[in-house]
Amino acid sequence: MMIHTILDTDLYKFTTSYAYIKLFPYAMGTFSFKDRDETAYTEVFLSKLKTEVANLAKVTLADKELEYMTRNCRFLPPVYWEWLSSFRFQPEKIDIHLDKEHHLNIEITDYLYKSTLYEVPLLAIVSEIKNQIQGNVANTEEIICKLSEKVVLSNEHQLSFSEFGTRRRFSFDVQDRVISYLKKVCTLLHRHIKLLLCYEV
């Protein structure tokens, strides 16, 4: 499985979902996938995608995650996290097919407060499978090298930032390494961070 928890998404998706519940509880909405590169996908890709989409039905908010979010994300009421713990993705509502030009089409229609939760996981799955099919290999050292320069600036100027890379991530493992790196170094002083700068050889 590429998506192991419903928390594997961008935080703003939860605030958006809650806003829809409060403001437009009966509004229906459709999420449609748009590939700006107009990639021609293969049947092998489509098969892998459908398998991963089917796995979304197993994704839940675990009890420990419910406790954590209730305690730490207090800008959303506990009742929202309670509702989210009962939410389940419904793969049967997701229409996936390739058109005549082998362009990928994905649509999910549901109440807005539900349909918005599908977007980021679906994009993350598409991105990861696409990299697998194309045989792309992530250069973690290069990724951390480029990231370290931004970390230096953020630490030097005490800049707060949010990470919104899930929808375009190379893979779960690569993003996990990036997040682990950020958690480790973004709390250090600038004089320690400068040791992580990379130089061209």
Side-chain angles (χ1 to χ4, degrees):
M1 288 176 57
M2 293 180 177
I3 306 296
H4 300 274
T5 169
I6 198 169
L7 297 183
D8 189 6
T9 189
D10 292 336
L11 179 61
Y12 84 92
K13 278 299 171 183
F14 299 132
T15 56
T16 300
S17 173
Y18 179 67
Y20 284 144
I21 289 176
K22 295 294 289 184
L23 301 174
F24 312 106
Y26 301 108
M28 300 293 290
T30 299
F31 162 74
S32 297
F33 173 80
K34 171 64 177 176
D35 186 342
R36 297 188 182 101
D37 295 331
E38 296 189 348
T39 306
Y41 293 88
T42 65
E43 293 296 333
V44 172
F45 172 92
L46 185 64
S47 176
K48 287 180 176 290
L49 176 59
K50 288 185 175 181
T51 297
E52 285 299 328
V53 167
N55 285 334
L56 285 177
K58 306 172 187 176
V59 173
T60 64
L61 182 71
D63 291 341
K64 289 183 178 179
E65 294 171 332
L66 170 60
E67 180 183 348
Y68 177 87
M69 298 306 285
T70 301
R71 186 173 65 252
N72 292 282
C73 290
R74 287 175 290 181
F75 47 85
L76 287 177
V79 67
Y80 177 78
W81 301 116
E82 287 286 350
W83 169 79
L84 194 67
S85 68
S86 66
F87 172 80
R88 297 294 182 273
F89 289 111
Q90 296 178 275
E92 66 275 11
K93 290 188 174 184
I94 307 173
D95 176 53
I96 306 174
H97 68 275
L98 300 179
D99 62 22
K100 294 180 180 178
E101 288 76 33
H102 285 262
H103 297 153
L104 180 62
N105 291 269
I106 305 176
E107 281 195 352
I108 164 67
T109 298
D110 207 331
Y111 289 107
L112 279 173
Y113 66 87
K114 293 181 180 180
S115 63
T116 192
L117 297 174
Y118 284 78
E119 179 186 359
V120 174
L122 285 172
L123 290 174
I125 290 171
V126 168
S127 181
E128 184 162 350
I129 295 177
K130 186 175 181 179
N131 281 309
Q132 286 181 358
I133 293 292
Q134 293 179 347
N136 297 328
V137 178
N139 187 329
T140 308
E141 290 184 4
E142 183 178 338
I143 292 171
I144 297 301
C145 176
K146 292 180 179 179
L147 185 60
S148 66
E149 298 172 2
K150 298 177 181 179
V151 169
V152 168
L153 288 174
S154 72
N155 284 334
E156 181 179 3
H157 300 286
Q158 297 296 297
L159 302 176
S160 299
F161 63 89
S162 298
E163 198 277 344
F164 287 92
T166 304
R167 66 183 58 223
R168 298 180 182 89
R169 70 186 181 196
F170 186 93
S171 68
F172 174 86
D173 290 338
V174 170
Q175 188 185 26
D176 188 51
R177 293 181 192 179
V178 167
I179 297 300
S180 296
Y181 171 79
L182 290 175
K183 287 169 63 178
K184 183 186 301 181
V185 301
C186 286
T187 58
L188 300 179
L189 295 176
H190 175 60
R191 64 176 178 270
H192 295 147
I193 296 299
K194 67 181 180 181
L195 299 175
L196 298 172
L197 281 172
C198 300
Y199 301 92
E200 292 185 4
V201 179

